């Protein structure tokens, strides 16, 4: 990152690098493990592009900014990155943070390819500047609700914290379950774990969904429910994907297994996905999450766009509907979807998976959508 800052997104003519701004949660209260996986995917793909000669003999350069799950910090980072002359902004994991970044990118006229956030309304009004790889929450969480129904779980309780993201998820679940005989009870996650267990018993809940942060209060809630004999038959679920990462298993051990969550991977990776997965495994020192694949796919899309359309920001944004890229998880194209304000890959492969209670480091596919 020794290239002098460029004041705009205009074409360079001196063979200098093409900069991509990367928004990643790397410190608390951000989900730093997710950020580490996202950055590993972004960085691996950039290195592969550069090893193959870059973009018209110019290297890609990631300019990374830690959002720490802070929307204001993310918006300020977009301002800074725009001033540094990035061709586009990529990344982000937290939906509320991505929404702030998307609004700022839209206002500034900077292309933003969102890697991993799912909130349907990333921008208040339709925008040409933002595209997204992750599936919209309304799509993925309906698939999760179908899984609950298929397993006979209709009395659903959600332990939730104040957040646009959690409120949106609760609404998706209620709207999908109610016409099919399901109910959703909201429980305030500030309840003591013991009081929450009592409420689950009183309600006769057959499933408890964790719409809360990790490790607090998710870990103590799981421990309390697992330790309550009255709730031996209840399903604990985490549609937002908390059990995906190794720190979940490290914190909870066997108690963290058997908790279904959403994962955005196909049942079987193709040759490209297998190759990238092996590289990511070496880089991370552990099995890559779907978030790492989202990072790699993000750069693959931007590299194809830059080769075809150059670094002009408006030209990049205008190219979203013409993208056709082979990603690690299938062919990537963007379209306009009802109720979604950004260009959307419709749809990423989706699974409901859990950690196998007999072998918590192994994932079981329970349902696919």
């Amino acid at each position: 990152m020794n290239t002098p800052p460029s004041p705009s997104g205009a074409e360079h003519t001196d063979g200098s690098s093409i900069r991509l701004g990367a928004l990643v949660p790397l410190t608390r209260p951000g989900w730093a493990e997710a950020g580490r996986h996202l950055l590993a995917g972004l960085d691996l793909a950039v290195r592969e592009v550069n090893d193959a000669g870059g973009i018209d003999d110019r290297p890609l350069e990631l300019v990374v900014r830690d959002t720490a799950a802070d929307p204001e910090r993310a918006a300020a980072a977009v301002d800074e990155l725009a001033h540094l002359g990035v061709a586009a902004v990529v990344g982000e994991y937290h939906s509320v943070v991505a929404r702030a970044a998307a609004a700022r990118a839209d206002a500034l006229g900077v292309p933003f390819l969102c890697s991993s956030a799912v909130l349907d309304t990333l921008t208040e009004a339709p925008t040409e500047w933002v595209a997204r790889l992750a599936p919209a929450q309304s799509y993925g969480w309906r698939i999760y609700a179908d899984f609950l129904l298929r397993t006979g779980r209709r009395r659903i309780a959600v332990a939730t914290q104040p957040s646009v993201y959690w409120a949106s998820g609760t609404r998706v679940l209620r709207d999908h379950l109610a016409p099919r005989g399901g109910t959703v009870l909201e429980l305030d996650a500030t309840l003591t774990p013991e009081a929450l267990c009592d409420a689950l018993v009183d309600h006769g809940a057959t499933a408890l969904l964790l719409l809360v942060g990790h490790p607090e209060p998710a870990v103590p809630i799981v421990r309390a429910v697992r330790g309550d004999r009255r709730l031996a038959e209840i399903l604990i679920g985490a549609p937002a994907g908390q059990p995906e990462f190794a720190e979940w298993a490290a914190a909870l051990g066997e108690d963290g297994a058997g908790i279904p969550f959403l994962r955005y991977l196909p049942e079987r990776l193709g040759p490209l996905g297998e190759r990238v997965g092996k590289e990511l495994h070496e880089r991370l020192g552990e099995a890559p999450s779907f978030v790492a694949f989202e990072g790699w796919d993000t750069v693959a899309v931007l590299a194809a766009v830059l080769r075809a359309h150059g670094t002009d920001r408006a030209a990049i944004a205008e190219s979203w509907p013409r993208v056709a890229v082979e990603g690690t998880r299938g062919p990537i194209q963007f379209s306009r979807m009802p109720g979604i304000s950004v260009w959307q890959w419709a749809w990423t492969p989706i699974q409901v998976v859990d950690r196998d209670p007999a072998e918590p480091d192994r994932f079981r596919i329970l349902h696919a959508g």
Side-chain angles (χ1 to χ4, degrees):
M1 299 186 184
N2 297 320
T3 308
S6 168
S8 71
E11 287 277 353
H12 295 259
T13 57
D14 59 357
S16 61
S17 62
I18 299 171
R19 292 179 152 196
L20 297 180
L23 304 178
V24 188
L26 295 174
T27 55
R28 295 288 185 190
W31 200 337
E33 191 172 10
R36 186 170 68 89
H37 279 237
L38 178 57
L39 183 56
L42 293 168
D43 187 63
L44 174 63
V46 165
R47 288 178 183 273
E48 291 184 356
V49 169
N50 289 341
D51 288 347
I55 307 296
D56 294 332
D57 296 323
R58 296 170 61 193
L60 281 182
E61 177 189 355
L62 275 186
V63 184
V64 180
R65 293 296 180 265
D66 174 19
T67 63
D70 183 336
E72 292 184 5
R73 186 166 169 171
V78 174
D79 279 337
E80 179 196 2
L81 293 166
H83 178 71
L84 290 175
V86 299
V89 174
V90 300
E92 195 43 48
Y93 177 79
H94 297 283
S95 281
V96 175
V97 179
R99 186 174 66 158
R104 197 68 194 129
D106 180 49
L108 294 173
V110 177
F112 175 35
L113 179 52
C114 181
S115 304
S116 198
V118 301
L119 195 66
D120 282 35
T121 52
L122 274 185
T123 55
E124 292 300 323
T127 176
E128 301 298 318
W129 293 98
V130 183
R132 173 169 56 191
L133 289 174
Q137 187 178 28
S138 59
Y139 180 74
W141 286 44
R142 284 198 300 266
I143 290 171
Y144 194 92
D146 285 337
F147 161 74
L148 295 173
L149 294 170
R150 190 172 66 84
T151 56
R153 315 284 177 165
R154 282 178 165 75
R155 295 180 66 82
I156 312 302
V158 297
T160 186
Q161 295 174 298
S163 162
V164 171
Y165 175 61
W166 299 128
S168 173
T170 301
R171 186 167 56 251
V172 171
L173 293 167
R174 182 174 281 122
D175 289 350
H176 194 72
L177 291 169
R180 296 162 178 82
T183 61
V184 176
L185 171 71
E186 291 185 56
L187 298 175
D188 190 331
T190 61
L191 288 170
T192 67
E194 294 75 17
L196 190 143
C197 288
D198 290 340
L200 294 173
V201 173
D202 292 343
H203 180 63
T206 55
L208 167 66
L209 305 187
L210 303 170
L211 308 192
V212 295
H214 169 75
E216 298 288 338
V219 168
I221 290 173
V222 171
R223 285 185 178 140
V225 173
R226 291 293 199 219
D228 193 322
R229 293 183 179 180
R230 301 172 299 170
L231 300 171
E233 299 302 317
I234 200 169
L235 173 78
I236 305 175
Q242 296 93 324
E244 168 80 12
F245 297 98
E247 66 181 46
W248 174 271
L252 282 163
E254 293 180 358
D255 283 346
I259 297 179
F261 63 93
L262 286 167
R263 182 170 71 165
Y264 309 133
L265 289 174
E267 186 172 352
R268 183 170 284 105
L269 291 168
L272 175 61
E274 287 282 357
R275 179 188 69 74
V276 171
K278 289 177 182 176
E279 295 279 351
L280 288 168
H281 195 293
E282 290 183 12
R283 181 173 288 245
L284 289 163
E286 61 187 13
S289 69
F290 69 84
V291 181
F293 289 99
E294 288 175 326
W296 194 96
D297 287 342
T298 299
V299 172
V301 168
L302 255 301
V305 167
L306 291 166
R307 290 188 184 103
H309 303 286
T311 59
D312 178 76
R313 290 171 177 170
I316 292 170
E318 290 167 4
S319 75
W320 297 136
R322 298 192 292 277
V323 164
V325 172
E326 187 63 30
T328 58
R329 299 162 297 150
I332 298 171
Q333 294 181 294
F334 297 114
S335 58
R336 289 295 193 186
M337 301 300 294
I340 309 299
S341 59
V342 302
W343 288 100
Q344 176 71 53
W345 179 16
W347 294 101
T348 317
I350 295 179
Q351 306 167 348
V352 179
V353 305
D354 70 359
R355 290 180 175 271
D356 187 344
E359 193 179 341
D361 287 337
R362 189 178 78 85
F363 295 109
R364 305 183 299 184
I365 299 175
L366 308 175
H367 183 72

